[in-house]
Amino acid sequence: MQKDGSLPDNVDVDQLMTKAGMALGGDGVDRVLIQPIRVDTDPANPEAARVIIEVLSGNLRFLNGYGPKGQLLRQNVAGWKIEFAARISDRGGLALAEAEANPEQGQLSCDNVLLKNYFVAAMTEWLRGQAQNVLARTEGRFAVIPRNEFLRCYLRPLLLEPLQVRLDELPDFIHSREGLAGELKASECLNEKSGVEATLYNGARAEFVPTKAGWQYRDHVLLHWQEANRTLHDRESEQDVHCTLALATQPGEDGRPHATLDIISTLTRYEWDSVKQELPASRQRTYMGKAWARATLQWSLRIQWLAAADGSIRMTVQERKGMPRTDAGTTGIYVVSDPLPHLINVHRICQWWENHSASLAPVRSELAEPLAAATTTVFERIVQALAPDGNRHCRGLRINERGDIEMELGE
């Protein structure tokens, strides 16, 4: 509203020649210009808002003395800041008619209590004078679904919980050496699982944990063992599985920002083999060299909710699957033509990665697309509830700085 001129960018409350004997603003150097007004809301208290106004430049004028001999003095108010408590109406409008100042949360760099009290009173009068115009512009314009509510009603039952079940069904890599030659060296092994205290033996499975942008799952296992005969092999086998869910505002194919949910899943497999050979003369084992190999696979899904030109809400689900990234190498006189196929069966890992219950195809068809369809229906119902006569439509969906879903309504 300040940008389009429907809300003044200056404050002018003139009571200089009345009982107050003071004025905030005026002409020339006295003109009080304000910074863009900031409005903060709290998801825990959706009926309240904080309005913060900071003065860019200008003066508070006051008379020193009485009658025609009274001297006109000025107090520079640049940098002064005041906070107001306001109400959010039932239709989401900013109601300023009863806004109350909170001087304790402000910055009023002056020791004169009388001047500070007048500044607060004048700013309150000015702000309340904008109430009708502000309410008309903001009421019914935005609908906000709090992040926690969206998580509880939609993301958790339709995506997080079923995806957690599917990940729990995957074999735990900690058991991949069971029944095979070579005893694990526990002190060199790792079992890191997000959300739980995992050991080599307690059977704990990784869980999704909240992050600033969304939620993250990690299952990281490192196994170390030895295989010994005339040749001693120190072996390590490592698997790291990541799954990230992130809510944010991202540009779509049309270049405009849209509410976006990204699902990214990554698998990294690493194998390492160090060899010591027993020499016939000394019966001692001598280090011969080592080989290592790594393969990384990743896929991603992007759900975007778009406000179409006709006011309807539609969604897109885009998938991306990268080619396996591999690298390998040897040191010493480890004799092998190619360490990658010698240590890792990339084809078999790719087949498993593409066909388990938490892979790209089933997550898209059984989780992501139903979630997108269900939430799109909910967004449309919200628009219909706020504009039952059909005079307002959705003009945009975004994720705001608190992670809430914000829908903008327009004619």
Side-chain angles (χ1 to χ4, degrees), residues 7-28:
L7 186 73
D9 62 357
N10 68 290
V11 178
D12 192 356
V13 180
D14 190 351
Q15 298 173 339
L16 190 63
M17 305 310 295
T18 65
K19 185 176 179 179
M22 296 184 183
L24 182 64
D27 298 324

mmCIF file of all heavy atoms in Angstrom, residues 7-28:
data_model
loop_
_atom_site.group_PDB
_atom_site.id
_atom_site.type_symbol
_atom_site.label_atom_id
_atom_site.label_comp_id
_atom_site.label_asym_id
_atom_site.label_seq_id
_atom_site.Cartn_x
_atom_site.Cartn_y
_atom_site.Cartn_z
ATOM 1 N N LEU A 7 -1.287 4.230 1.038
ATOM 2 C CA LEU A 7 -0.957 4.449 2.449
ATOM 3 C C LEU A 7 0.184 5.457 2.488
ATOM 4 O O LEU A 7 1.190 5.265 1.809
ATOM 5 C CB LEU A 7 -0.527 3.137 3.112
ATOM 6 C CG LEU A 7 -0.295 3.207 4.625
ATOM 7 C CD1 LEU A 7 -1.621 3.308 5.362
ATOM 8 C CD2 LEU A 7 0.456 1.979 5.103
ATOM 9 N N PRO A 8 0.039 6.558 3.235
ATOM 10 C CA PRO A 8 1.078 7.591 3.231
ATOM 11 C C PRO A 8 2.418 7.048 3.706
ATOM 12 O O PRO A 8 2.479 6.135 4.523
ATOM 13 C CB PRO A 8 0.535 8.648 4.214
ATOM 14 C CG PRO A 8 -0.930 8.379 4.322
ATOM 15 C CD PRO A 8 -1.098 6.911 4.108
ATOM 16 N N ASP A 9 3.490 7.641 3.181
ATOM 17 C CA ASP A 9 4.820 7.289 3.665
ATOM 18 C C ASP A 9 5.341 8.354 4.634
ATOM 19 O O ASP A 9 6.513 8.399 4.957
ATOM 20 C CB ASP A 9 5.801 7.105 2.510
ATOM 21 C CG ASP A 9 5.979 8.383 1.695
ATOM 22 O OD1 ASP A 9 5.299 9.399 1.991
ATOM 23 O OD2 ASP A 9 6.798 8.378 0.757
ATOM 24 N N ASN A 10 4.426 9.245 5.078
ATOM 25 C CA ASN A 10 4.816 10.270 6.041
ATOM 26 C C ASN A 10 3.738 10.414 7.112
ATOM 27 O O ASN A 10 2.585 10.021 6.914
ATOM 28 C CB ASN A 10 5.044 11.611 5.347
ATOM 29 C CG ASN A 10 3.753 12.187 4.804
ATOM 30 O OD1 ASN A 10 3.189 11.671 3.845
ATOM 31 N ND2 ASN A 10 3.271 13.251 5.405
ATOM 32 N N VAL A 11 4.137 10.936 8.260
ATOM 33 C CA VAL A 11 3.235 11.134 9.398
ATOM 34 C C VAL A 11 3.130 12.635 9.659
ATOM 35 O O VAL A 11 4.156 13.328 9.758
ATOM 36 C CB VAL A 11 3.762 10.424 10.660
ATOM 37 C CG1 VAL A 11 2.845 10.684 11.845
ATOM 38 C CG2 VAL A 11 3.899 8.926 10.405
ATOM 39 N N ASP A 12 1.894 13.129 9.758
ATOM 40 C CA ASP A 12 1.674 14.561 10.012
ATOM 41 C C ASP A 12 0.510 14.717 10.987
ATOM 42 O O ASP A 12 -0.649 14.583 10.595
ATOM 43 C CB ASP A 12 1.392 15.286 8.701
ATOM 44 C CG ASP A 12 1.447 16.801 8.856
ATOM 45 O OD1 ASP A 12 1.629 17.272 9.997
ATOM 46 O OD2 ASP A 12 1.301 17.507 7.841
ATOM 47 N N VAL A 13 0.832 14.941 12.240
ATOM 48 C CA VAL A 13 -0.173 15.182 13.274
ATOM 49 C C VAL A 13 0.141 16.548 13.878
ATOM 50 O O VAL A 13 1.108 16.697 14.642
ATOM 51 C CB VAL A 13 -0.155 14.088 14.359
ATOM 52 C CG1 VAL A 13 -1.203 14.373 15.422
ATOM 53 C CG2 VAL A 13 -0.380 12.716 13.742
ATOM 54 N N ASP A 14 -0.663 17.561 13.538
ATOM 55 C CA ASP A 14 -0.374 18.949 13.929
ATOM 56 C C ASP A 14 -1.303 19.382 15.057
ATOM 57 O O ASP A 14 -2.492 19.608 14.853
ATOM 58 C CB ASP A 14 -0.534 19.863 12.719
ATOM 59 C CG ASP A 14 -0.026 21.277 12.992
ATOM 60 O OD1 ASP A 14 0.287 21.582 14.169
ATOM 61 O OD2 ASP A 14 0.074 22.061 12.032
ATOM 62 N N GLN A 15 -0.753 19.472 16.243
ATOM 63 C CA GLN A 15 -1.491 19.988 17.403
ATOM 64 C C GLN A 15 -0.690 21.112 18.055
ATOM 65 O O GLN A 15 -0.746 21.326 19.261
ATOM 66 C CB GLN A 15 -1.739 18.849 18.407
ATOM 67 C CG GLN A 15 -2.584 17.719 17.827
ATOM 68 C CD GLN A 15 -2.677 16.520 18.752
ATOM 69 O OE1 GLN A 15 -1.846 16.337 19.627
ATOM 70 N NE2 GLN A 15 -3.706 15.714 18.553
ATOM 71 N N LEU A 16 0.081 21.818 17.221
ATOM 72 C CA LEU A 16 0.995 22.818 17.740
ATOM 73 C C LEU A 16 0.258 23.988 18.396
ATOM 74 O O LEU A 16 0.696 24.497 19.436
ATOM 75 C CB LEU A 16 1.882 23.332 16.598
ATOM 76 C CG LEU A 16 3.059 24.217 16.999
ATOM 77 C CD1 LEU A 16 4.045 23.458 17.876
ATOM 78 C CD2 LEU A 16 3.778 24.750 15.758
ATOM 79 N N MET A 17 -0.840 24.441 17.789
ATOM 80 C CA MET A 17 -1.542 25.610 18.308
ATOM 81 C C MET A 17 -2.731 25.226 19.182
ATOM 82 O O MET A 17 -3.563 26.076 19.501
ATOM 83 C CB MET A 17 -2.021 26.485 17.133
ATOM 84 C CG MET A 17 -0.905 26.881 16.182
ATOM 85 S SD MET A 17 0.553 27.593 17.033
ATOM 86 C CE MET A 17 -0.164 29.088 17.708
ATOM 87 N N THR A 18 -2.839 23.967 19.543
ATOM 88 C CA THR A 18 -3.912 23.529 20.438
ATOM 89 C C THR A 18 -3.330 23.279 21.815
ATOM 90 O O THR A 18 -2.189 23.633 22.116
ATOM 91 C CB THR A 18 -4.569 22.264 19.886
ATOM 92 O OG1 THR A 18 -3.608 21.198 19.906
ATOM 93 C CG2 THR A 18 -5.060 22.468 18.458
ATOM 94 N N LYS A 19 -4.123 22.621 22.644
ATOM 95 C CA LYS A 19 -3.706 22.376 24.030
ATOM 96 C C LYS A 19 -2.410 21.568 24.100
ATOM 97 O O LYS A 19 -1.581 21.763 24.992
ATOM 98 C CB LYS A 19 -4.824 21.645 24.770
ATOM 99 C CG LYS A 19 -4.551 21.439 26.251
ATOM 100 C CD LYS A 19 -5.746 20.783 26.926
ATOM 101 C CE LYS A 19 -5.445 20.548 28.407
ATOM 102 N NZ LYS A 19 -6.608 19.916 29.103
ATOM 103 N N ALA A 20 -2.200 20.672 23.121
ATOM 104 C CA ALA A 20 -1.005 19.841 23.157
ATOM 105 C C ALA A 20 0.253 20.674 22.958
ATOM 106 O O ALA A 20 1.301 20.409 23.545
ATOM 107 C CB ALA A 20 -1.090 18.742 22.111
ATOM 108 N N GLY A 21 0.177 21.666 22.079
ATOM 109 C CA GLY A 21 1.337 22.499 21.832
ATOM 110 C C GLY A 21 2.477 21.761 21.156
ATOM 111 O O GLY A 21 3.645 22.150 21.302
ATOM 112 N N MET A 22 2.160 20.718 20.408
ATOM 113 C CA MET A 22 3.187 19.933 19.742
ATOM 114 C C MET A 22 2.691 19.516 18.360
ATOM 115 O O MET A 22 1.496 19.516 18.082
ATOM 116 C CB MET A 22 3.538 18.674 20.548
ATOM 117 C CG MET A 22 4.149 18.957 21.906
ATOM 118 S SD MET A 22 4.633 17.433 22.743
ATOM 119 C CE MET A 22 5.209 18.080 24.305
ATOM 120 N N ALA A 23 3.640 19.128 17.509
ATOM 121 C CA ALA A 23 3.307 18.634 16.174
ATOM 122 C C ALA A 23 4.372 17.635 15.755
ATOM 123 O O ALA A 23 5.568 17.857 15.988
ATOM 124 C CB ALA A 23 3.220 19.769 15.173
ATOM 125 N N LEU A 24 3.914 16.578 15.123
ATOM 126 C CA LEU A 24 4.829 15.571 14.587
ATOM 127 C C LEU A 24 4.735 15.645 13.079
ATOM 128 O O LEU A 24 3.685 15.352 12.485
ATOM 129 C CB LEU A 24 4.465 14.169 15.073
ATOM 130 C CG LEU A 24 5.392 13.037 14.619
ATOM 131 C CD1 LEU A 24 6.786 13.222 15.192
ATOM 132 C CD2 LEU A 24 4.836 11.676 15.030
ATOM 133 N N GLY A 25 5.810 16.051 12.423
ATOM 134 C CA GLY A 25 5.802 16.205 10.983
ATOM 135 C C GLY A 25 5.632 17.646 10.583
ATOM 136 O O GLY A 25 5.762 18.577 11.387
ATOM 137 N N GLY A 26 5.346 17.870 9.317
ATOM 138 C CA GLY A 26 5.204 19.211 8.777
ATOM 139 C C GLY A 26 5.838 19.292 7.408
ATOM 140 O O GLY A 26 5.881 18.295 6.668
ATOM 141 N N ASP A 27 6.352 20.489 7.080
ATOM 142 C CA ASP A 27 6.949 20.716 5.768
ATOM 143 C C ASP A 27 8.471 20.784 5.877
ATOM 144 O O ASP A 27 9.028 21.004 6.951
ATOM 145 C CB ASP A 27 6.413 22.026 5.173
ATOM 146 C CG ASP A 27 4.904 21.983 4.961
ATOM 147 O OD1 ASP A 27 4.403 20.905 4.600
ATOM 148 O OD2 ASP A 27 4.239 23.026 5.165
ATOM 149 N N GLY A 28 9.128 20.623 4.736
ATOM 150 C CA GLY A 28 10.573 20.766 4.678
ATOM 151 C C GLY A 28 11.292 19.765 5.560
ATOM 152 O O GLY A 28 11.014 18.564 5.529
#
